[in-house]
């Protein structure tokens, strides 16, 4: 079994839990509110800002990853600015002490979310409340036509990892999904009006 296959299999349950937590029901039903949408953007910004900052500390290890071509924070900042929502206070400690190999597990979660972006964007457009706000939306458009190519390139990076590091990468992916849960709940407590 490849590392990518193991990651998909071993994190399936926590991945599904995370999707459900992130307003999946109202999203699919076309009932996502502006408050919920802005909450999701803040959650994603906190996650990606922390991950990108941590990856930037290891330029040699992540050279093949090409972090400058995979940045999501500018997209999220543009989307939040479009809604006149200030950036949340960063979470610099989130991945601060993670080794580079563990950050690959976190990157797996971040890169995997880009595959579903096109589907999410389609669901966002079903919400009458959101549709007028999505004309310039960027984050959920993801990598666009490059999505599959970037995913395959990331799979190549995973395939190049030593088998002795696989457990650490998978465990880090689990911790990363849980971190998404923590960020979601933390930001929701900061804005209890979001249902």
């Amino acid at each position: 079994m490849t590392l990518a296959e193991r990651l998909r299999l071993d994190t399936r349950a926590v991945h599904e839990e995370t999707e459900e937590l992130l307003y999946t029901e109202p999203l699919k039903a076309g009932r996502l509110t502006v408050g919920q949408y802005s909450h999701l953007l803040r959650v994603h910004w906190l996650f990606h800002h922390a991950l990108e900052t941590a990856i930037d500390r290891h330029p040699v290890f992540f050279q093949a990853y090409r972090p400058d071509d995979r940045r999501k924070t500018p997209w999220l900042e543009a989307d939040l600015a479009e809604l006149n929502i200030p950036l949340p206070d960063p979470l610099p400690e989130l991945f601060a002490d993670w080794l580079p190999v563990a950050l690959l597990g976190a990157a797996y979660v971040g890169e995997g979310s880009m595959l579903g972006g096109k589907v999410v964007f389609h669901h966002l457009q079903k919400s009458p409340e959101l549709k007028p706000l999505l004309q310039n939306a960027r984050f959920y458009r993801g990598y666009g036509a490059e999505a599959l190519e970037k995913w395959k390139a990331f799979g190549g990076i995973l395939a190049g990892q030593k088998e002795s590091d696989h457990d650490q990468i998978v465990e880090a992916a689990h911790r990363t999904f849980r971190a998404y849960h923590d960020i979601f709940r933390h930001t929701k407590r900061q804005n209890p009006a979001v249902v």
Side-chain angles (χ1 to χ4, degrees):
M1 178 182 308
T2 68
L3 176 56
E5 291 168 339
R6 185 172 166 209
L7 280 160
R8 187 173 49 255
L9 183 66
D10 288 2
T11 64
R12 179 174 288 141
V14 70
H15 182 173
E16 290 172 358
E17 287 173 29
T18 306
E19 284 182 352
E20 287 305 311
L21 183 68
L22 299 177
Y23 302 119
T24 298
E25 187 178 315
L27 174 69
K28 287 182 176 179
R31 295 188 326 266
L32 196 73
T33 67
V34 173
Q36 291 168 329
Y37 173 61
S38 67
H39 182 216
L40 288 175
L41 293 175
R42 290 191 311 274
V43 168
H44 290 303
W45 184 86
L46 286 164
F47 170 80
H48 288 289
H49 181 268
L51 179 59
E52 290 169 8
T53 300
I55 284 173
D56 285 346
R57 289 189 201 106
H58 307 282
V60 173
F61 185 87
F62 283 98
Q63 185 174 2
Y65 179 74
R66 300 177 54 144
D68 288 339
D69 292 342
R70 294 179 180 268
R71 295 203 188 279
K72 291 128 190 110
T73 53
W75 302 341
L76 289 156
E77 289 167 5
D79 289 353
L80 287 165
E82 189 78 18
L83 298 174
N84 294 313
I85 306 282
L87 295 178
D89 292 332
L91 299 173
E93 72 286 352
L94 184 58
F95 299 110
D97 61 346
W98 287 36
L99 296 173
V101 73
L103 289 171
L104 277 178
Y108 167 81
V109 175
E111 291 303 311
S113 72
M114 292 291 93
L115 291 177
K118 187 174 183 179
V119 173
V120 171
F121 191 71
H122 170 74
H123 287 307
L124 289 171
Q125 292 176 316
K126 293 193 300 190
S127 169
E129 188 177 351
L130 291 180
K131 194 164 184 167
L133 305 174
L134 298 174
Q135 183 175 354
N136 298 318
R138 184 60 189 88
F139 175 70
Y140 284 109
R141 294 177 195 260
Y143 296 132
E146 296 179 329
L148 190 55
E149 177 186 323
K150 286 190 181 286
W151 181 249
K152 286 180 180 179
F154 184 69
I157 294 168
L158 292 175
Q161 301 309 302
K162 296 183 294 191
E163 191 169 342
S164 59
D165 289 334
H166 289 194
D167 288 345
Q168 185 179 0
I169 294 167
V170 171
E171 188 271 333
H174 273 275
R175 284 193 295 158
T176 302
F177 279 114
R178 293 291 176 214
Y180 251 113
H181 294 208
D182 294 343
I183 295 168
F184 181 89
R185 290 184 182 107
H186 172 75
T187 53
K188 193 168 185 179
R189 279 194 303 273
Q190 290 179 332
N191 188 1
V194 176
V195 180

